[in-house]
Amino acid sequence: MRGRMSVRRVIMGCMPVMNDEVPDEGDFDADRPRGEFDHVTPEDFIRGSGHGNPPGWLDPADINRARGQMPIAYVEIVPVRTDEFGRVAQVGSLLRVTDDGSVERALISGRVLFHETLREAIARNVAKDLGDIALPMLPVNLQPFTVAEFFPTPGLSEYYDPRQHAIALCYVVPIAGDCHPQDETLDVEWVDPHSDMLATFLDQMTNGHDRIVRKALEYCGA
């Protein structure tokens, strides 16, 4: 945890706090009063505070009601391994258990929590699926390579999510550390983007995740 947060502070340490995002210790306005968020730290959003969920967290009934009434912001992450020249050498996918108990191949994804920055959302969702020492190399530029709009109605777009209308900002994130899949994630499998196995992996992805991977590899020139 400390290593990952240190990397994040190197990236963000010189950035001013804007729009009431949760401050780091070194931020110039870190001691500014924030009301309900005075005692919330970035670690609370990544691994929990130990004193219940952070402000703005929704219980199952509330999130299901929100999903039925409004679009939900997500980050969709394509994990990659790179070579010494920064080229994509492997692209990863997750084997995970779905709500109905079946196994699917998918990408790292999760919603952006209230009062959580995009960087924190990316770091938290990578840690949730790959463990604390995956060491994601967070993008310097938070411009996504594509935006995938998932609808709960089949056929309305190339992306489908039966639970909700989700607007997903998609990022390619190099993984520099060791992966220890956890929670619903059973395993992470890596494939050379130039091998015949890539087509097999993509065929096993559903609801448009295969299209996101193809766009990611095109974006990276792989």
Side-chain angles (χ1 to χ4, degrees), residues 41-60:
T41 68
E43 286 85 351
D44 293 333
F45 285 99
I46 293 175
R47 302 305 290 168
S49 65
H51 304 289
N53 289 318
W57 183 272
L58 300 178
D59 62 31

